[in-house]
Amino acid sequence: MFYQILAAFFHLFGILYDSIYQSSKPDQLNPLRVKGKEFPGPYLGQWYFIAGAASTQEELAIFVPVDNILFNMAASHVPQKLQLRATIRMKNGHCVPRKWTYHLTEGSTDLKTEGRPDMKTELFYSSCPDGIMLRETGQGYQRFLLYKACELSSD
């Protein structure tokens, strides 16, 4: 009985706290210029997957067997398209190549994934230096993904 009362108290406290101190929504990227360059220029190149967050474990289940991921975002020869290639290293040591085509949305940084009409990818500023945050939504899921730009040495 004591634990039920304590749980109810913390639940009500959380609701009250959230209503008073609402967290700010992350700033969506400006579709015309990012860091002084025209979109998607600053986001072409190589990126490491850093972390993912979602409200359920099922929404992140795809990342459980993954050790790390290296992405390469490149402009397509077709206007309004981006090519994304990934090298996914699994925890069992195998590497899995993947590729996607994104369609740019006019006047927006939202990306549509070719072959996945239900999927929407939104880009947001990240507080991490040289980082970017994505929100992927699809049929029954929403997840936030954090990426960091690669600093390749020229040794």
Side-chain angles (χ1 to χ4, degrees), residues 15-141:
I15 292 172
L16 178 64
Y17 183 84
D18 284 344
S19 67
I20 295 171
Y21 301 104
Q22 292 184 356
S23 61
S24 61
K25 183 179 177 185
D27 294 328
Q28 197 158 10
L29 294 176
N30 179 334
L32 302 177
R33 300 198 65 75
V34 179
K35 297 182 181 177
K37 297 180 182 176
E38 190 172 325
F39 180 80
Y43 300 102
L44 301 179
Q46 294 191 314
W47 295 85
Y48 279 113
F49 173 72
I50 302 297
S55 58
T56 67
Q57 290 181 353
E58 290 80 24
E59 294 168 307
L60 295 174
I62 194 168
F63 298 103
V64 171
V66 172
D67 180 43
N68 60 55
I69 308 173
L70 177 64
F71 290 96
N72 186 46
M73 180 74 77
S76 172
H77 65 281
V78 178
Q80 296 297 103
K81 286 189 179 183
L82 295 174
Q83 299 294 321
L84 180 65
R85 295 185 182 273
T87 302
I88 305 168
R89 181 178 165 89
M90 308 303 283
K91 289 179 181 172
N92 65 9
H94 292 99
C95 287
V96 180
R98 293 284 313 268
K99 64 181 179 177
W100 300 265
T101 300
Y102 285 120
H103 295 265
L104 299 172
T105 305
E106 188 68 37
S108 171
T109 57
D110 294 354
L111 304 173
K112 300 286 184 184
T113 306
E114 190 169 279
R116 307 246 341 248
D118 62 309
M119 186 174 178
K120 179 180 176 184
T121 303
E122 300 169 271
L123 304 174
F124 295 91
Y125 287 110
S126 169
S127 59
C128 295
D130 298 319
I132 190 167
M133 184 173 58
L134 277 64
R135 176 171 57 187
E136 289 184 344
T137 53
Q139 287 185 322
Y141 74 90

Side-chain angles (χ1 to χ4, degrees), residues 1-17:
M1 179 68 166
F2 172 74
Y3 292 110
Q4 291 173 330
I5 293 171
L6 189 61
F9 169 76
F10 282 122
H11 181 75
L12 291 174
F13 176 77
I15 292 172
L16 178 64
Y17 183 84

